[in-house]
Amino acid sequence: EDKVVQSPLSLVVHEGDTVTLNCSYEVTNFRSLLWYKQEKKAPTFLFMLTSSGIEKKSGRLSSILDKKELFSILNITATQTGDSAIYLCAVEAGDTGNQFYFGTGTSLTVIP
Amino acid sequence: NAGVMQNPRHLVRRRGQEARLRCSPMKGHSHVYWYRQLPEEGLKFMVYLQKENIIDESGMPKERFSAEFPKEGPSILRIQQVVRGDSAAYFCASSPRQGNEQFFGPGTRLTVL
């Protein structure tokens, strides 16, 4: 059964800490892995990863994919209160693509 | 406890036809959200509904699109007179209350010929 599992489910850190969020998956015909940040209503796209071992960076956020071990990590350095959100991992898979499997998310709370 | 269910998983329509997408939230969840994912883009919020009420439809096109979440039965996203630009993956998510984590369904892939 295709699935995406995120850990931890929730996390509370202090400003300035570094956090690592995990996403593991088991899917048929993997195509890409996507990370989203969800505040309020609409998830915000962060990264799309298709190749193993290539780190993607955007400011204090970075992510990498390991297609051999079937997981991805999202790192956030020097966390700020504005980083508080739910971080969603999704995997695109399937013979014709366009089948998306979402994890339930990691809820991150950054306290001052 | 079954997850969020969406059907159909794939839907093909010709221009001008109607598309109906269904979403059954998780048991005990009374909040439903619809999103659209266009090729090469992230998820875009469309509408947020509670049972029998539309709470926020700010992300939904004003014409041809409508959504409902009746007291009984699934939530329906309806697209009238579809055009090629409507081709996308449509995702539904549910939560037990506002502000909680949303659980996503597998999506419906709409292709307009």
Side-chain angles (χ1 to χ4, degrees):
Chain A
E1 181 186 341
D2 296 326
K3 63 180 180 181
V4 175
V5 179
Q6 291 187 246
S7 64
L9 291 180
S10 65
L11 194 54
V12 180
V13 300
H14 287 93
E15 268 191 318
D17 288 350
T18 293
V19 297
T20 299
L21 310 183
N22 303 290
C23 175
S24 63
Y25 61 91
E26 289 181 34
V27 300
T28 304
N29 294 323
F30 171 90
R31 295 174 71 89
S32 66
L33 185 144
L34 304 97
W35 282 98
Y36 293 88
K37 177 183 180 182
Q38 184 166 12
E39 302 169 279
K40 296 180 182 178
K41 56 188 181 187
T44 305
F45 174 77
L46 295 175
F47 298 109
M48 175 188 250
L49 303 155
T50 54
S51 301
S52 242
I54 299 174
E55 185 183 50
K56 291 212 172 180
K57 282 183 71 76
S58 176
R60 296 176 294 102
L61 277 67
S62 64
S63 183
I64 197 161
L65 173 68
D66 186 326
K67 289 168 75 172
K68 183 179 177 185
E69 300 297 330
L70 308 183
F71 77 92
S72 172
I73 59 172
L74 176 68
N75 276 321
I76 309 175
T77 59
T79 51
Q80 303 171 357
T81 54
D83 296 328
S84 296
I86 294 169
Y87 290 83
L88 284 168
C89 170
V91 173
E92 183 184 17
D95 289 334
T96 57
N98 310 132
Q99 292 180 32
F100 288 88
Y101 302 91
F102 283 85
T104 53
T106 292
S107 177
L108 174 65
T109 303
V110 181
I111 53 179
Chain B
N1 188 5
V4 177
M5 295 168 63
Q6 289 188 249
N7 67 81
R9 295 294 304 276
H10 298 274
L11 182 62
V12 179
R13 285 287 178 265
R14 295 191 181 279
R15 280 180 295 171
Q17 291 185 318
E18 179 180 287
R20 279 183 179 243
L21 288 63
R22 294 175 188 76
C23 169
S24 296
M26 287 181 70
K27 188 177 180 180
H29 289 193
S30 58
H31 297 249
V32 166
Y33 307 77
W34 283 95
Y35 298 86
R36 175 165 63 174
Q37 178 148 8
L38 294 167
E40 311 299 324
E41 296 183 24
L43 287 174
K44 304 286 185 186
F45 168 78
M46 297 183 74
V47 61
Y48 162 39
L49 309 105
Q50 264 186 287
K51 281 285 188 182
E52 300 185 272
N53 290 305
I54 295 175
I55 307 300
D56 182 350
E57 55 182 349
S58 59
M60 200 151 70
K62 294 284 186 287
E63 297 177 353
R64 302 189 297 108
F65 285 73
S66 62
E68 63 178 17
F69 189 14
K71 189 176 180 181
E72 301 290 338
S75 175
I76 307 284
L77 179 68
R78 184 181 174 207
I79 311 172
Q80 294 177 289
Q81 299 174 328
V82 295
V83 300
R84 288 223 174 101
D86 297 332
S87 295
Y90 291 83
F91 292 94
C92 162
S94 74
S95 70
R97 60 191 67 85
Q98 188 176 8
N100 262 51
E101 291 90 336
Q102 296 177 20
F103 293 79
F104 282 81
T108 294
R109 159 62 59 180
L110 172 65
T111 302
V112 180
L113 302 177

